[in-house]
Amino acid sequence: MSEGPGAGSGVVEGQVGAGFQAMATGDWRGARDAFSAALEVAEVPEALLGLANALFWLGDLAGTIASCEKAYAGFRRRGDSMFAAGAALLLVGYNKGYLGNTAAARGWLARAARIIENEVPQLRGELLGATAYVTDDPVQSEALARRAAEIGRASGNSDLELMAMHAVGQALVQQGRTEEGMSLLDEAMAGVIGGEGRDPLTVAQVSCMTMVVCGSCFDIERATQWVQSLRGFIDRYGCPFLFAECRTYYGRVLFENGDWAAAEALLCDAISMSQDVFEAPHAFAAGTLAELRLAQGRVEEAARLLRGVEGRQEAAAAVASVRLRQGEPSAAAAVLRRRLAATSPGRLDVAAVIELLGEAEIALGDRGAATERGRALVALGAANRCDLIVAHGERLLGHALAPADVPAACAHLETALAAFVEAGIPYRAAQTRLLLAQVLGRSDREVAGAEARTALSVFEDLGAGRDADAAAALLRDLGMKAARTGPKNVGRLTRREQEVLALLGEGLSNPEIAGRLFLSRKTVEHHVARILSKLGLRGRAEAAALAARGAGQESARDR
């Protein structure tokens, strides 16, 4: 393979141009193919850099980094300092975000710094932003990101300004200045979704880190609202949550919002991406999928997912949840206390750990300790203006106070229920309804039955079999009929899902559907997963048969 001009230079230029045109429309496979075709003729660094970008969106982590490293070397040999520094800065993010390899990230940062300081000072703002990303001290990170934002603003570089603004917000949240930081995150997200940034990668990075920050603050409602705002971008370019950590947080958002099929697909992706590569995100992804399995009543599968990560802090809540389900509250409490002891006071990402510890203490008969946990959660949420943390605290208080003080328990549970319903979190709302029904069982059978029946319907729609069994058992204890109906055909398919279903009926594969609808293959996979979940189908063959039957019936009606 040669490099530089030659007989095939016109072909190379044409393929490179076609690759960048495909990237502009979000056709990542087309871009990959065009850049690969150019590289078969000559190892042009522009084609390598474009290929790295396309592979990033297609989820090929190893290919992304290898292509970017080759692009860097090619630009250096050619003496193109601007692009060499840009490639080095990309490698900072790839190594830290993909691999969790801080040493490599710092090495590429130092290489970029030397080039920029000596040869291309106009990239000083980007260097400051990358340094803020790698820096562990949130106060220092804030200062660096503010300087980068000022440079971006002064030079009219909106991508730099928005990414740096977001980094400032993230650093403020890490310092405990949550409201101030979240305001900047919201502003940066509005800017990138509004089209101020010229590069889709800016949307991906800002969106990805928004998921991480919202997840660390237990702010599922804010994350959900931004995911909804990203629908148009996702349809055009594909899922922007490309790193394992933010993909896991996105999966958590979908889990909380009741889209369990799509959540499962993302969490499996995150586990695969981080396997043997990135230990902390792998444990986090495995733990989150284990929690989904527990919600589905698949306890043994949840336990298998956690093998090998039981000692990781990121999986502590899932490990403890499995112990509780297996009737081992003392073991669960030990895991949770160890997790809390290793965490700085006031951290919002341990809210679930605190609630679980309270549940373990209830199982151990220490309702007084659980009550204190609930009050601490309510105070933590109120201090940080996080309504969902308050709601989880209120639910724990309601559980801990029953059956000794039924009126107070019901008041706390009603407060929690209202918050979960308002936030659109069906599983937590249904769990709270079931608790409320259990508390009211002796004093108000009619209301208890209504709450249990509503909870049963939601559990069945979601596929939460174990919880559905518990709700049905309570209804029978109350002397009411409670036949399990199994998962229902929940909701109508969206317009896009109907289009995908119709193409399944034509026998098209996922890549063919992606090409027909101008979507990424990953987006189509998520649509197919949601269709199967909503219609209660076992696979794409059943979906295709259903679509074909529907088309045949419509054709008969037309005749």
Side-chain angles (χ1 to χ4, degrees), residues 368-389:
T371 299
E372 291 307 310
R373 302 280 180 202
R375 288 173 179 153
L377 266 184
V378 170
L380 179 65
N384 290 278
R385 299 193 177 185
C386 182
D387 293 339
L388 285 182
I389 291 180

Side-chain angles (χ1 to χ4, degrees), residues 364-439:
L364 291 167
D366 192 351
R367 290 182 177 269
T371 299
E372 291 307 310
R373 302 280 180 202
R375 288 173 179 153
L377 266 184
V378 170
L380 179 65
N384 290 278
R385 299 193 177 185
C386 182
D387 293 339
L388 285 182
I389 291 180
V390 172
H392 280 271
E394 293 283 358
R395 187 172 71 177
L396 178 57
L397 278 171
H399 193 188
L401 291 172
D405 189 345
V406 171
C410 289
H412 288 295
L413 290 172
E414 289 283 4
T415 300
L417 177 60
F420 290 132
V421 170
E422 176 68 22
I425 300 179
Y427 183 54
R428 306 304 175 192
Q431 286 180 312
T432 308
R433 287 187 191 279
L434 182 56
L435 266 176
L436 186 58
Q438 291 167 342
V439 172

Side-chain angles (χ1 to χ4, degrees), residues 126-251:
E126 284 80 358
L127 177 63
L128 287 167
T131 307
Y133 178 56
V134 172
T135 300
D136 293 326
D137 181 356
V139 175
Q140 185 182 1
S141 180
E142 177 198 350
L144 291 165
R146 285 191 185 280
R147 288 166 57 196
E150 289 170 3
I151 291 173
R153 198 172 299 117
S155 63
N157 186 339
S158 56
D159 290 280
L160 173 60
E161 179 190 359
L162 291 168
M163 289 177 62
M165 178 189 298
H166 193 280
V168 173
Q170 184 175 3
L172 291 174
V173 171
Q174 290 173 336
Q175 294 172 46
R177 297 157 65 183
T178 307
E179 186 175 4
E180 184 182 357
M182 284 299 192
S183 177
L184 284 176
L185 261 64
D186 287 343
E187 184 179 349
M189 281 295 295
V192 296
I193 292 175
E196 290 184 44
R198 294 182 293 273
D199 189 345
L201 188 60
T202 303
V203 183
Q205 292 178 326
V206 171
S207 300
C208 190
M209 295 315 297
T210 295
M211 285 296 107
V212 172
V213 176
C214 286
S216 70
C217 294
F218 216 75
D219 198 342
I220 302 297
E221 191 170 8
R222 179 184 254 104
T224 299
Q225 291 167 351
W226 280 122
V227 166
Q228 291 169 348
S229 297
L230 281 164
R231 291 297 183 196
F233 179 89
I234 291 172
D235 282 345
R236 180 175 182 184
Y237 293 103
C239 177
F241 308 115
L242 295 163
F243 293 143
E245 187 178 17
C246 58
R247 185 159 286 207
T248 300
Y249 278 120
Y250 182 32

